[in-house]
Amino acid sequence: MKPARVFAGLTASTILTASLALTPQAVADPTTPTSGDDTGTAPTSPYNYAAIGDSATVAGSWFHPEKNLCGRNKKDYPAITASGTGLQLNEAACYNATSKNFQWTQPAGFGNSPNSPQIKAINKKTRLITIQLGLRDIVGAGPTSLFSKCAASWGKQYASMASGKLTELTGGPCRDRYEKSTLEKFDGLESHLAALYTAAKAHAGGNALVVAIGYMPIFNDTNTCWDGAFIPPRDRDFYNTIYDKLNRTIRQAARTAGIYSLVVSKNLAVRSACGAPGMRFTTFSGVPEASYPMGPTVNGQAHIAATLEQMWKDWKSTHSSL
C-alpha cells in the first residue's frame, strides 16, 4: 500500500472526529416543531412527522448544518421528507443515540449534547414516525467505539509497514479481536426494538405510519475499496457482517411490531463507499461529496426521503381524514 493511501485514511479519521465535535452543549428538546425546509416555506399540514434516530439519521452535507444541539442537517432525510410531505417536523434524532435514548435522556458525550427522550417528539397529531436506532447499541461511539478500537489494531500494522516488516495490510486484526464481543451485543436487541416500535405507534394513538429505517452498508464485498483502502478486506467484511445482521434484526422487529421497514441494501457495487463518487449512497471518508464520514451521502439521504414520501402518499391515500 502506498503511504498516500495511509495518510488519506488517517485524514478521514481526523475528519470524523472533528465533525462529531461541532455540537454546542445544551439540552435538546424535540417537542418544539422545526421547519425542515430551508426555503422558509411553512408546513402545509396541521399534522407532524416525528424523526427518531442517531448519527445516520442526521448526517447530511457539510455546508447545510442546522443550528441545533445534535448535528441535525438541512439535507438529512427527515428535513427533506418534511418538506416533501408538508408535515411539521419534530426531529429528535441525535448523534450517537442508542435505542435506550428513545425513552431516556441522552447525556452529553463525544460529539453530542444532552438530548431529551426522543419519544417526546411523538404526540396525538403525529402521522409519520421514522425510527433509526440500533447501530450505536452495537458499535458504540467516540473513543470507546468499535471503530476507535479497530483503528488501533490497524495502526499496529502501519507501524510494521513503516519498519519494513509488513508490505501490505493482511488478515483481519479487528475481526479477530472484537467479533465475538460485538456480535454478543445483538442478544435481546430484536425484542427491544420491537417493543420500542410498538410503544411509538401507541404513543401516536395508533394512527400513524411508523417506519423502521435500516442502515446502508458502508462497504461492498470486493477485495479492493478506494474509500477505506487502509482497512484490511477481512475487516471491511466484518463491518458488512454487522450491518447485515443489524438490518435483519430491524426487519424482523418491524414485522413483530406490525410496522413497515425500509432498508436500502441493493446495488452496493455502485452505492457503497467503494462505489462511484457522486452516485454512491454511503461514504467512509466523507469526500468528495462533502458528506459526514461513515454515513449516508446527500444522495443517500435524498433516496431515503423519496422512498418515505412515496410510502406516505400510499398510506395517506387509505386515510381520507388526512
Side-chain angles (χ1 to χ4, degrees), residues 6 34 55-56 81 98 100 111 116 136 141 180 185 192-193 214-215 241 244 251 265 274 278 305 308 312 319 321:
V6 175
T34 57
S55 310
T81 300
T98 70
K100 293 180 180 179
S116 298
R136 293 297 171 184
K180 184 176 184 294
K185 294 180 180 179
H192 177 59
L193 288 177
Y215 295 85
T241 297
D244 288 345
R251 286 193 190 98
S265 57
C274 308
L308 286 172
W312 166 251
H319 294 72
S321 62

Side-chain angles (χ1 to χ4, degrees), residues 117-152:
Q118 295 197 27
I119 193 173
K120 291 178 67 177
I122 305 172
N123 55 50
K124 297 305 180 183
K125 287 193 173 183
T126 300
R127 293 297 180 268
L128 173 61
I129 304 170
T130 58
I131 303 173
Q132 189 174 32
L133 292 170
L135 180 61
R136 293 297 171 184
D137 295 58
I138 306 302
V139 302
T144 61
S145 68
L146 177 65
F147 176 78
S148 296
K149 292 186 288 189
C150 289

Side-chain angles (χ1 to χ4, degrees), residues 59-309:
S61 168
W62 294 350
F63 305 114
H64 295 86
E66 290 278 8
K67 293 181 180 179
N68 57 61
L69 307 165
C70 284
R72 298 165 198 150
N73 198 276
K74 295 177 182 177
K75 296 299 182 181
D76 63 22
Y77 70 78
I80 302 171
T81 300
S83 178
T85 60
L87 295 167
Q88 299 180 52
L89 176 59
N90 287 353
E91 186 170 9
C94 193
Y95 261 111
N96 301 332
T98 70
S99 62
K100 293 180 180 179
N101 301 130
F102 177 71
Q103 292 182 303
W104 299 96
T105 296
Q106 180 181 351
F110 183 77
N112 68 273
S113 295
N115 191 41
S116 298
Q118 295 197 27
I119 193 173
K120 291 178 67 177
I122 305 172
N123 55 50
K124 297 305 180 183
K125 287 193 173 183
T126 300
R127 293 297 180 268
L128 173 61
I129 304 170
T130 58
I131 303 173
Q132 189 174 32
L133 292 170
L135 180 61
R136 293 297 171 184
D137 295 58
I138 306 302
V139 302
T144 61
S145 68
L146 177 65
F147 176 78
S148 296
K149 292 186 288 189
C150 289
S153 298
W154 301 326
K156 293 179 180 178
Q157 289 208 349
Y158 295 140
S160 296
M161 291 171 66
S163 66
K165 295 180 181 178
L166 184 69
T167 58
E168 62 180 355
L169 291 176
T170 59
C174 176
R175 185 168 210 154
D176 293 342
R177 176 170 290 191
Y178 300 112
E179 180 175 28
K180 184 176 184 294
S181 60
T182 299
L183 296 184
E184 285 175 349
K185 294 180 180 179
F186 279 95
D187 293 345
L189 182 61
E190 182 182 313
S191 60
H192 177 59
L193 288 177
L196 185 155
Y197 300 153
T198 301
K201 184 167 57 173
H203 209 67
N207 191 27
L209 169 62
V210 186
V211 185
I213 309 291
Y215 295 85
M216 300 181 193
I218 300 178
F219 306 112
N220 56 27
D221 57 0
T222 61
N223 288 328
T224 59
C225 182
W226 68 272
D227 190 5
F230 80 104
I231 301 176
R234 191 162 174 265
D235 281 345
R236 290 201 301 268
D237 183 67
F238 175 38
Y239 266 84
N240 283 351
T241 297
I242 293 170
Y243 277 70
D244 288 345
K245 186 173 180 63
L246 180 56
N247 285 332
R248 289 196 302 270
T249 299
I250 289 171
R251 286 193 190 98
Q252 185 55 51
R255 292 191 193 101
T256 300
I259 68 167
Y260 293 88
S261 63
L262 170 56
V263 178
V264 181
S265 57
K266 296 181 179 179
N267 301 319
L268 291 184
V270 176
R271 302 304 189 185
S272 75
C274 308
M279 297 179 63
R280 58 193 187 149
F281 285 169
T282 57
T283 173
F284 176 71
S285 65
V287 292
E289 293 94 342
S291 297
Y292 294 164
M294 296 189 74
T297 62
V298 173
N299 281 346
Q301 294 281 25
H303 176 79
I304 294 175
T307 306
L308 286 172
E309 287 176 34

